[in-house]
């Protein structure tokens, strides 16, 4: 499939100013996302916040339709919240863990999720087990299957880790979870917007995601998918008058759809912008986006691997648009700063965000470059040319 990246760049004002290879951090938004938010804020300033929300109710509701269409879900299975961490938390902390329950996770798990696993384990007596990696460095499906027993209460993994380019075998995990009838929570923070996701094909029961990364939406937005069959089995860790109705002086009733995981006050401009971003991704076609992102990612790996003193540290049988590397003898922050001075945006991944993974590979920090479909091969070359020399 082909994708008109020239048009994508024309519709992305930031492409005129910088080679943005930090899409795993926060991608450049298309103009229509920014315009939609500014237009709404101007209306809000003219007529008032409540009144603007009422006047734009159909656009707000359209966000649920756009997200549902993007991931193959139903609109009543979608909650829109302020970030991916809050989305993940609202589902995870709604599970009733008891002593001896097991949480199965992977070595590529992100720090925020791992900390939550450990906190709940300490509170409840549940046990966290880390599934081994296979020979490709991704979650070992056979080891996962061996660990499944009647005590497993949740399978919780990250689809694409923040610190490398591997794509975990999410659908294979889903098949095991369904067979064993174990709830399956997938952190799709780094995969939504760069990979073609379908919750039915993956088999996950819960999926959390952000707006700001590859989806190209606004910061401070995220969403949660919870399968219909599971929604009413999860009680959110806290409720308000949006998530539940106060039915009597001593009674309340939690709403039946996924919006039980939301709260009443929300960023309406961000919510509208998130919907525009989801619809924009669908307009381009996620299969076409994924194909270009994966191709650019591999191109960058080849360029980096051929550069003197550079080591690429990505794992996985299948790899995405996140590329991590090190320049011999040069601290990652120094590499990042050098690239920034050349007009190339990157980031740094640290072991503190990936303690199950990076220390075991002898890694403390890595430079992270992350491509998107609006990037060009010329920009990848600019990154490589701007690298500092290795220090032997």
């Amino acid at each position: 499939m082909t994708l008109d990246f020239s048009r994508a760049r024309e519709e992305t004002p930031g492409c005129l100013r910088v080679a943005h290879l930090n899409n795993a951090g926060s991608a450049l938004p298309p103009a229509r996302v920014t315009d939609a938010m500014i237009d709404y804020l101007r209306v809000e300033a003219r007529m008032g916040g409540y009144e603007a929300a009422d006047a734009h109710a159909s656009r707000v509701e359209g966000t649920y339709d756009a997200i549902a269409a993007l991931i193959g879900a139903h609109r009543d299975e979608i909650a829109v919240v302020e970030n991916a961490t809050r989305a993940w938390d609202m589902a995870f902390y709604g599970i009733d863990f008891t002593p001896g329950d097991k949480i199965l996770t992977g070595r590529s798990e992100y720090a925020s999720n791992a900390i939550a696993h450990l906190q709940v384990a300490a509170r409840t007596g549940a046990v966290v087990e880390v599934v081994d990696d296979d020979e490709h460095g991704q979650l070992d499906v056979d080891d996962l299957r061996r660990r499944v027993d009647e005590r497993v209460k949740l399978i919780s993994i990250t689809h694409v880790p923040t610190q490398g380019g591997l794509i975990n075998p999410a659908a294979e995990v889903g098949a095991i979870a369904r067979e064993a009838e174990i709830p399956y929570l997938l952190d799709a923070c780094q995969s939504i917007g760069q990979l073609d996701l379908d919750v039915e094909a993956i088999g996950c029961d819960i999926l959390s995601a952000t707006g700001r990364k590859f989806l190209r939406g606004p910061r401070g937005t995220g969403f949660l998918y919870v399968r219909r069959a599971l929604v009413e089995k999860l009680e959110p860790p806290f409720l308000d008058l949006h998530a539940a109705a106060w039915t009597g002086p001593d009674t309340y009733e939690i709403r039946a759809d996924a919006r039980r995981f939301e709260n009443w006050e929300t960023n309406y401009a961000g919510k509208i912008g998130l919907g525009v971003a989801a619809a924009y991704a669908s307009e381009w076609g996620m299969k076409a986006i994924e194909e270009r992102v994966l191709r650019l990612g591999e191109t960058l790996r080849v360029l980096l691997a051929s550069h003197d003193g550079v080591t690429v540290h990505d794992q996985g049988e299948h790899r995405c648009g996140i590329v991590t590397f090190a320049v011999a003898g040069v601290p990652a922050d120094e590499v990042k700063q050098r690239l920034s001075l050349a007009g190339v945006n990157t980031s740094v991944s640290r072991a503190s965000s990936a303690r199950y993974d990076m220390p075991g590979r002898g890694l403390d920090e890595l430079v992270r470059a992350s491509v998107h479909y609006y990037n060009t091969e010329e920009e990848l070359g600019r990154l490589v040319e701007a690298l500092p020399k290795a220090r032997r």
Side-chain angles (χ1 to χ4, degrees):
M1 302 178 70
T2 59
L3 187 148
D4 185 0
F5 67 88
S6 295
R7 179 195 140 203
R9 291 178 66 80
E10 290 172 0
E11 295 177 356
T12 307
C15 287
L16 296 174
R17 298 180 176 274
V18 68
H20 190 70
L21 299 174
N22 189 19
N23 296 287
S26 186
L28 297 176
R32 70 176 68 177
V33 169
T34 306
D35 291 345
M37 296 173 64
I38 292 173
D39 290 346
Y40 177 82
L41 288 172
R42 285 176 174 152
V43 172
E44 195 175 73
R46 289 197 302 268
M47 65 187 303
Y50 286 20
E51 292 75 15
D54 289 342
H56 289 76
S58 61
R59 294 203 71 185
V60 173
E61 288 299 313
T63 295
Y64 295 88
D65 295 315
I67 293 171
L70 185 69
I71 64 172
H74 302 284
R75 70 189 317 273
D76 61 303
E77 296 174 314
I78 303 299
V80 178
V81 293
E82 53 266 44
N83 54 63
T85 300
R86 176 49 54 88
W88 190 97
D89 286 344
M90 290 297 284
F92 175 70
Y93 285 96
I95 299 171
D96 183 23
F97 291 100
T98 58
D101 287 343
K102 291 202 298 186
I103 301 167
L104 298 183
T105 190
R107 294 202 172 277
S108 61
E109 197 65 11
Y110 185 57
S112 292
N113 303 348
I115 290 168
H117 293 157
L118 295 172
Q119 182 191 41
V120 164
R123 284 178 176 177
T124 66
V127 177
V128 180
E129 285 192 9
V130 182
V131 178
D132 289 336
D133 288 340
D134 65 13
E135 68 274 20
H136 304 289
Q138 63 199 25
L139 185 137
D140 188 329
V141 175
D142 291 331
D143 186 54
L144 173 67
R145 186 177 289 107
R146 285 192 294 269
R147 293 174 185 270
V148 168
D149 58 30
E150 68 281 355
R151 294 181 298 153
V152 177
K153 193 70 169 281
L154 178 71
I155 297 172
S156 173
I157 70 164
T158 293
H159 195 186
V160 170
T162 185
Q163 72 279 5
L166 75 83
I167 304 171
N168 269 318
E172 290 86 339
V173 173
I176 293 171
R178 284 188 171 181
E179 181 181 351
E181 298 182 342
I182 298 169
Y184 171 23
L185 167 56
L186 183 68
D187 180 341
C189 200
Q190 294 288 13
S191 54
I192 191 73
Q194 72 156 321
L195 303 181
D196 185 22
L197 303 186
D198 184 288
V199 291
E200 286 301 320
I202 291 172
C204 58
D205 300 290
I206 309 165
L207 180 146
S208 61
T210 187
R212 77 176 192 271
K213 297 181 183 289
F214 291 94
L215 193 53
R216 306 184 65 196
R219 294 197 69 175
T221 62
F223 70 87
L224 177 70
Y225 156 80
V226 182
R227 190 178 301 279
R228 280 175 172 171
L230 188 61
V231 168
E232 294 196 46
K233 297 178 182 178
L234 298 180
E235 181 169 331
F238 50 84
L239 301 168
D240 71 353
L241 77 172
H242 172 83
W246 194 13
T247 55
D250 303 313
T251 59
Y252 63 89
E253 184 176 334
I254 306 176
R255 63 186 299 159
D257 62 8
R259 297 193 204 190
R260 62 171 50 198
F261 302 104
E262 299 178 348
N263 60 78
W264 186 83
E265 181 57 23
T266 190
N267 177 358
Y268 282 93
K271 204 168 191 176
I272 289 171
L274 180 64
V276 173
Y280 189 73
S282 293
E283 179 184 312
W284 283 103
M286 283 309 308
K287 290 185 185 300
I289 289 174
E290 177 179 322
E291 190 275 334
R292 179 165 175 80
V293 170
L294 268 58
R295 185 173 70 250
L296 285 173
E298 286 303 315
T299 298
L300 181 55
R301 290 184 187 96
V302 171
L303 290 173
L304 288 167
S306 63
H307 195 277
D308 181 54
V310 174
T311 303
V312 176
H313 287 279
D314 293 334
Q315 301 185 102
E317 186 175 9
H318 304 287
R319 298 182 294 188
C320 65
I322 299 176
V323 181
T324 53
F325 64 96
V327 179
V330 185
D333 283 316
E334 183 178 333
V335 176
K336 176 181 178 294
Q337 183 179 22
R338 178 74 170 266
L339 293 172
S340 180
L341 291 173
V344 180
N345 290 347
T346 57
S347 185
V348 175
S349 290
R350 306 184 194 280
S352 58
S353 293
R355 294 209 175 275
Y356 293 147
D357 173 42
M358 289 178 65
R361 293 195 280 149
L363 301 171
D364 183 57
E365 60 181 19
L366 293 169
V367 184
R368 185 183 71 183
S370 43
V371 303
H372 217 330
Y373 62 95
Y374 55 69
N375 290 126
T376 66
E377 286 81 358
E378 183 272 336
E379 289 177 326
L380 307 187
R382 283 173 59 188
L383 181 152
V384 175
E385 290 173 5
L387 290 173
K389 291 184 179 179
R391 297 171 189 156
R392 305 294 185 181

